[in-house]
Each structure stands twice: as structure tokens, then as C-alpha cells.
Amino acid sequence: MREELETVEAAPSETRSEETEVVVIFFDDMKGSTVLKERLAAASDEQAFQILRKEHDALVSEVITRDGAGEVIKSTGDGLLAIFRKPSVAVERAIEIQERFHEHPFIKVRIGMDMGEVSVESDSLRHRDAFGRHVDWASRAMELSDAGHICVTRSVYTDAFSWIRKSRIAWKEHGPHRVKAGEVPLEIFEPYNANVVTPLEVLRGEKVTPDIPEVPAAPVAVPGAVELSREDIRLARSWEAVARDGREFALNGAGMMYWFKVPLGGVCYPEGFRNFLQPALENPRISKIRFMLDSSSEKIPQIWKDLVLPLLEDWAQQRPCRSGIEGDDMSGRFFAEGEHNVSVGWVFGDLSQEFTPCFKLFVQDPDTDEDSDVRAQIFLATAFRTVRFKDGSVHQVRIPDAVLRVEPRGNDSLLQALNVVANQWDALFI
């Protein structure tokens, strides 16, 4: 494939044209190619690296172009530039490329993608090149990534996440990053196969902390009140921010996770399950997840039995682990035992008279040596949303529309109160 890319040139008489298109820009390169080239040359000869390079080009090109999903535009030296029409397909093919190179002894690639309107240069045979800021941003996303990983911008994530149906694809939000000081920061997300790799802890570039404007407020003295700083408590108001906040907790939390009186709108359909509960199941630092569910509403037990439990079973069946469900109508436990043991317990009770708000709480698991901070999210309000279930029926469910995120610094009293509520129910879990 590379030989074709490098030797097939437009004849002088051919007319080149240029037009704009909205596409996904895909960049990849062989990580550490210079060092690899020198090592192979010393151990073998100069041609050894060229053989690997051709192997890389052939595999990546085959995955990209299969079924007409994408088009390889040109070689970039140690990688390829390609375009896709569908962000979801672009992410799935990038995941496949990383899976197929995962066990390769020499070839490790990093991938970056962005989406937007670019200028595409063509001749009578095919597309020859692409230009524009989205091409530059895709290249920057690749530079932020590392061997065996994929970084995409928010535009790719927003469209791909809604369409991808493969549950093995998980996401990690890395936040705004840039390669060099002075560049426009890009919001970076990392798709990955949770059965093959773990996401990057940190990206290669500089993480950018967004400026938060100060909002002056007159201090009000309340006797006995605990003073809370803005750094310790953060309010996420929009549903998008609430979802992003909850996912970040699931990805990066540690210990035991309690969900108290939580509205099942967050986990009653596959997209919500994948966004909140699945990342917690796959987080090796989370060992137990416990739900205290309100039985006073008929829909909560129905949603749990008809939707959540089958999703848990489907998730386990796709992994090399021993799993099962045990319990009765009032309480139960799902367990998965493999490389990372995790259990999901649930208890039903009449919570209609509880004045405690819905909350999610992380506490240290006494059965492990994992050292973790107590953290919490408090759902300040819920709203009704109409969702369509697998059987095609439409239901009203409640979802959180605001979250108070509580960090451990200076909030001991509040976190202790939530912990007491969780402990009151702890003996009921099996």
C-alpha cells in the first residue's frame, strides 16, 4: 500500500480540484519509529524497518477502507492520513487497529482524530490531500496520545458516542489539553477496549485548567455552619455536565460505591448503563457497588429487574470471568470474578419518608488494602424524562438535573452524615 501511495502521482495533464467537505480526519503513526529503525538496523539491516512499515500500512489501510468505510489519503512518513464519513465507524475502526497491533512485538501506533469542514484536494483518480484547522487538530490529538491509544476531540466523541453500540468500547474524558503553550486547547476523549487496555493516566501534552470567573457574594454568618470553599464543592447544573461528572466519578473513584435512593434514569437504558455503571464495573479500584433502591415506586423494581440486571449479565458474558446473580425480591448480588473482582449489591426499601437526598458515595473498602478518600455526589434535583425501552415501550423516568460534588477537604461533617445513612442499610446486603 505504501508503495502505491508514494509512487502513484497525478500526471502533469491531470486537473486537480479542491472542495470542502465535513469529514473525520484520522492520523496515525508508528510510535518510536526512529528508535525502532536504529535498533532493527543494528540487529539486522536497513530493510527490516521498511518491512515493518509496509506491514503497518497494509493492515491500517485494510481496516480503514474495508466496506468503503474510509479512505487513505496519503502517507505521512511513519503513518497515514485518512478520512471517514461517520465518526462512530472511525472510532470502531481505530479500536480495531489497536486490537490487531496489541500483541505485535514491534509495531505500536498512536491515533488522533478530529471532525469538521476541511479542504480536500483531488485529481481524476482519488483524493490527494486535506488542509485546514481540523487536519491540524487531528494531528495534535495524535501527538497527545501514546502507543496503543487513541485520542479524539469533542466533536468526534459527541457524534460517535451516541451511535456506537459495541459495549466493549469505553471512554475516558481527559479534558482540555494542548501540545505547546499558546495553542488552542482541545477537549480530548479516549475511546478504548476495556478488555485489552486501560486508558492513559495522563496525556503527553499540557493540561489546561479553564478559567473560572469569580462571582462576588456577600458573606453571611451562620452560627455553627461549616465553611466550604469553591475548590471543595462544585455544582454541575446542566444534564450534560451532570452526566460528565458522574462518568468521571465512575472512571476515577476508588473503594466502595454507594448509590442511595438514586433515580434509575441514569442506568435504565443501555446508553446510561454504559456511561455510568459500566465504567465503575471496569474500574479496578472499585470493588463493590451497592444500590439502596426505593420500593415505594413500582417502576424502580421493574426497571431494575427488566433492564439493569440483563445489562449486567450481558456485560459479564462478554468478558473472561465467572459471574452470577443471587438473592430474592428484596435484595440481591451480582458478582464477576476474573482479573478484577467486582460485585453489585442491591436492597429495596420504602424510602418515600426519607428526607435524605439522593447521593452517590465513595468510602474505603475494608476488605482491600486500597487507600481511598471519601467523596460524594449529591443529586440536588430530579426531572422526568421520557425514554424508550428495548421492547419499544415508552416510560417516564426521573433523572438528576443538578449535582453537588463533594471532595474530602473540609467537608468531613457532610461526608460523615452520608456515611451514617449508608451504614444503616449495610447489614442488609448479601
Side-chain angles (χ1 to χ4, degrees):
M1 174 58 71
R2 176 175 294 274
E3 292 162 327
E4 295 176 2
L5 291 171
E6 292 180 337
T7 59
V8 177
E9 297 294 338
S13 60
E14 289 181 343
T15 303
R16 296 221 175 193
S17 62
E18 193 172 303
E19 58 184 13
T20 62
E21 299 181 37
V22 177
V23 293
V24 179
I25 299 292
F26 169 104
F27 272 103
D28 94 306
D29 76 353
M30 296 173 62
K31 186 68 172 59
S33 57
T34 302
V35 174
L36 178 60
K37 189 185 305 181
E38 294 173 352
R39 188 170 53 150
L40 290 175
S44 176
D45 56 50
E46 293 285 347
Q47 288 303 310
F49 177 76
Q50 301 308 322
I51 293 172
L52 284 179
R53 197 180 70 166
K54 291 178 181 179
E55 181 184 353
H56 161 272
D57 289 0
L59 186 150
V60 174
S61 298
E62 183 273 319
V63 174
I64 289 173
T65 60
R66 190 174 65 244
D67 304 324
E71 178 183 354
V72 176
I73 300 297
K74 67 175 184 178
S75 167
T76 59
D78 295 328
L80 299 176
L81 164 63
I83 59 174
F84 288 88
R85 307 295 172 183
K86 298 179 180 179
S88 58
V89 175
V91 170
E92 290 173 349
R93 296 297 170 92
I95 292 283
E96 181 181 343
I97 289 168
Q98 296 295 22
E99 290 171 350
R100 292 175 66 172
F101 279 132
H102 180 65
E103 299 295 336
H104 198 286
F106 297 111
I107 300 177
K108 304 295 179 186
V109 301
R110 56 181 181 174
I111 296 174
M113 289 186 279
D114 184 37
M115 182 178 71
E117 187 171 358
V118 299
S119 179
V120 181
E121 185 182 274
S122 308
D123 59 30
S124 59
L125 297 176
R126 62 181 180 85
H127 290 126
R128 291 285 178 177
D129 211 342
F131 307 93
R133 64 180 184 175
H134 294 287
V135 177
D136 297 335
W137 289 347
S139 177
R140 295 290 188 273
M142 182 190 69
E143 292 181 65
L144 291 168
S145 187
D146 207 343
H149 296 272
I150 305 161
C151 283
V152 306
T153 60
R154 173 171 285 280
S155 58
V156 176
Y157 163 78
T158 300
D159 279 17
F161 179 83
S162 301
W163 286 94
I164 289 176
R165 294 292 178 260
K166 296 181 178 178
S167 60
R168 63 184 173 81
I169 296 180
W171 293 85
K172 178 175 180 178
E173 180 182 2
H174 287 283
H177 280 75
R178 58 189 172 203
V179 176
K180 301 175 185 176
E183 291 182 341
V184 175
L186 303 174
E187 285 194 75
I188 297 296
F189 296 79
E190 181 183 354
Y192 62 98
N193 182 346
N195 295 326
V196 177
V197 298
T198 56
L200 290 166
E201 289 293 328
V202 294
L203 301 186
R204 296 174 60 82
E206 172 195 359
K207 184 161 187 176
V208 179
T209 303
D211 294 330
I212 303 176
E214 293 287 345
V215 180
V220 178
V222 180
V226 178
E227 183 177 349
L228 303 176
S229 68
R230 187 182 62 185
E231 290 76 16
D232 299 326
I233 289 186
R234 179 161 61 83
L235 179 64
R237 291 188 181 277
S238 69
W239 166 240
E240 182 182 353
V242 169
R244 189 166 60 243
D245 227 43
R247 182 173 177 82
E248 194 279 330
F249 248 47
L251 286 168
N252 301 314
M256 298 172 62
M257 173 192 273
Y258 286 94
W259 296 58
F260 180 81
K261 204 168 60 174
V262 64
L264 279 183
V267 293
C268 72
Y269 46 97
E271 189 172 305
F273 175 88
R274 185 174 60 201
N275 204 24
F276 303 119
L277 189 51
Q278 181 176 323
L281 289 167
E282 295 169 355
N283 181 347
R285 300 186 65 201
I286 297 177
S287 52
K288 300 183 183 72
I289 304 169
R290 294 180 169 179
F291 286 83
M292 284 146 281
L293 301 167
D294 189 2
S295 62
S296 64
S297 168
E298 293 182 2
K299 290 189 179 296
I300 298 297
Q302 178 187 347
I303 290 171
W304 186 261
K305 178 182 177 182
D306 296 344
L307 289 166
V308 180
L309 293 185
L311 286 169
L312 287 168
E313 292 177 311
D314 290 345
W315 175 84
Q317 288 173 2
Q318 299 175 40
R319 283 151 181 81
C321 65
R322 188 179 77 88
S323 65
I325 293 178
E326 54 189 18
D328 52 35
D329 291 340
M330 296 309 297
S331 64
R333 184 176 77 99
F334 162 85
F335 63 88
E337 298 174 348
E339 292 184 5
H340 160 52
N341 295 339
V342 63
S343 66
V344 178
W346 59 92
V347 172
F348 286 105
D350 186 351
L351 306 181
S352 59
Q353 302 302 312
E354 281 277 355
F355 293 100
T356 309
C358 306
F359 66 83
K360 183 166 30 171
L361 175 70
F362 277 111
V363 297
Q364 192 162 331
D365 182 357
D367 295 332
T368 70
D369 297 327
E370 180 73 49
D371 186 20
S372 57
D373 289 328
V374 179
R375 305 161 67 196
Q377 289 177 314
I378 301 174
F379 303 118
L380 297 180
T382 58
F384 279 106
R385 172 172 288 191
T386 301
V387 297
R388 187 179 298 277
F389 290 174
K390 282 183 176 180
D391 61 2
S393 60
V394 176
H395 298 264
Q396 292 283 331
V397 298
R398 297 185 69 85
I399 61 169
D401 59 9
V403 164
L404 191 68
R405 179 170 178 166
V406 185
E407 300 294 345
R409 297 168 298 178
N411 301 312
D412 294 344
S413 299
L414 178 56
L415 292 169
Q416 178 64 27
L418 297 177
N419 200 7
V420 167
V421 173
N423 285 336
Q424 290 173 348
W425 292 81
D426 206 55
L428 300 178
F429 288 92
I430 61 174

